[in-house]
Amino acid sequence: MSVLVLRALGIGDLATAVPALRGLRGARPTEEIMLAAPGWLAPLADLTGAVDRVVPVDSLRVRTVPVAPPQLAVNLHGRGPQSHRLLARLRPAELMAYANPAAGFLDGPRWEQDEHEVHRWCRLLAWYGIAAHPTDLDLHTPVRRGDPMGATIVHPGSKDPARRWSPRGFAEVARALSASGHHVVVTGGPGERPVATLVTRLAGLPDSANLAGCTDLGELAALVADARLLVSGDTGIAHLATGYGTPSVVLFGPVPPAWWGPPPGRPWHQVLWHGEHAGRPGASTATGAHPALAAVTVDEVLEAVDRALAAGDEQVAQLAAPGRDEPVGYRHAATP
């Protein structure tokens, strides 16, 4: 008996699907749960504690998924029809997905655009009678491999140009944090090495602070899990901070925090978004930061840093107090 879940996207997409994956694991405890996703996401899939193996699928352009027909296929990828059709070609005994007449699939709930990504997939499973809890976002702690402990991470990159705040802004924040005693490192993927180099140089940091392209996903997760603070745009690493309860300041642009931000009630995660400049929330721009992101100032970021760290310190104090319950979502990652 097997369950195949389609989520052939990126880090943040997988992280926001963790509650749904855990719901499936709880509902099907003895069955193999396979995740159809890019192979490089396998370390993060392991850290969910809900996936038995990753079936490498880089996009919906593939003709099929290389598995035997599963007992259950679950579309956590999108509204369809392409993702629906990809799973239907596997001839699963059962398919769970949002209703999509274009794909010939009339079962399932109706897709709602204005909905947080975490709640979207929990609602899908609830329609099929499977309980999934939107706050169940914690990730297992990865094995450390020499990553710097207690670092403050500045992550200036994003695949979407509209989600990239000014490199000079990130550099000013990094310089101010370094001057106040933070051990600042700059992260990013291999393709983000140039912007990370620029931020590192403008901030007056040593070349060794530039870790862009130097960490795989498991190492990046370990870095975030032990970090003092993360400052980033609305991109995948921000969801790792949520999963590890690492204080964070996340800058939003074309997409509102109500769709992709950290859960409410966790003040150690601060979001900045000038929604008055947003226009259509889902819109993007060809070049440059979205107006709702470009309007964020360095002073706003540094003030948000103070709030996030103060809230984190308060939670640490509460954890140390005798007889106090541990707050959900703060340094509450289980070790596999």
Side-chain angles (χ1 to χ4, degrees), residues 16-313:
T16 52
V18 167
L21 290 169
R22 296 239 175 90
L24 286 168
R25 169 56 71 202
R28 307 272 180 139
T30 62
E31 298 181 31
E32 181 186 33
I33 295 182
M34 301 174 290
L35 177 67
W40 61 270
L41 284 174
L44 181 55
D46 288 342
L47 296 174
T48 70
V51 174
D52 294 304
R53 65 183 174 104
V54 170
V55 179
V57 175
D58 290 329
S59 73
L60 299 185
R61 292 190 295 271
V62 299
R63 174 62 187 168
T64 189
V65 180
V67 295
Q71 176 68 24
L72 170 64
V74 184
N75 187 353
L76 299 186
H77 187 95
R79 71 175 71 188
Q82 191 176 0
S83 52
H84 286 45
R85 291 169 180 160
L86 177 61
L87 291 175
R89 284 196 292 270
L90 295 175
R91 300 189 180 278
E94 183 182 2
L95 173 62
M96 294 181 181
Y98 277 97
N100 190 292
F105 188 79
L106 303 180
D107 193 17
R110 176 183 174 182
W111 179 278
E112 299 290 346
Q113 181 64 31
D114 188 12
E115 182 173 29
H116 195 285
E117 191 72 2
V118 172
H119 289 266
R120 182 186 314 286
W121 305 115
C122 292
R123 181 168 66 87
L124 172 66
L125 295 189
W127 199 90
Y128 289 99
I130 296 176
H133 304 285
T135 59
D136 190 10
L137 293 161
D138 295 351
L139 295 168
H140 290 312
T141 303
V143 176
R144 289 186 46 78
R145 288 172 279 186
D147 314 283
M149 295 185 66
T152 287
I153 303 169
V154 173
H155 188 94
S158 173
K159 289 185 294 185
D160 182 358
R163 301 188 193 199
R164 295 181 201 148
W165 195 48
S166 160
R168 289 189 178 276
F170 276 115
E172 287 185 45
V173 169
R175 181 183 289 275
L177 292 174
S178 179
S180 64
H182 289 249
H183 174 205
V184 178
V185 297
V186 183
T187 58
E192 296 166 339
R193 183 80 183 178
V195 68
T197 299
L198 176 60
V199 170
T200 301
R201 178 175 60 82
L202 292 176
L205 300 174
D207 291 344
S208 59
N210 184 0
L211 302 183
C214 300
T215 58
D216 62 23
L217 182 52
E219 291 165 340
L220 182 65
L223 182 67
V224 175
D226 282 327
R228 179 181 181 185
L229 172 73
L230 168 71
V231 180
S232 78
D234 170 26
T235 191
I237 194 171
H239 297 279
L240 295 182
T242 299
Y244 290 118
T246 298
S248 63
V249 177
V250 186
L251 286 56
F252 281 78
V255 176
W259 290 3
W260 281 88
R266 301 185 185 187
W268 49 89
H269 301 305
Q270 293 284 314
V271 297
L272 296 174
W273 184 60
H274 282 276
E276 68 273 17
H277 300 297
R280 292 187 300 110
S284 186
T285 56
T287 58
H290 189 278
L293 174 60
V296 174
T297 69
V298 170
D299 285 343
E300 284 180 301
V301 175
L302 293 175
E303 290 168 3
V305 164
D306 289 341
R307 294 193 298 271
L309 291 176
D313 289 344

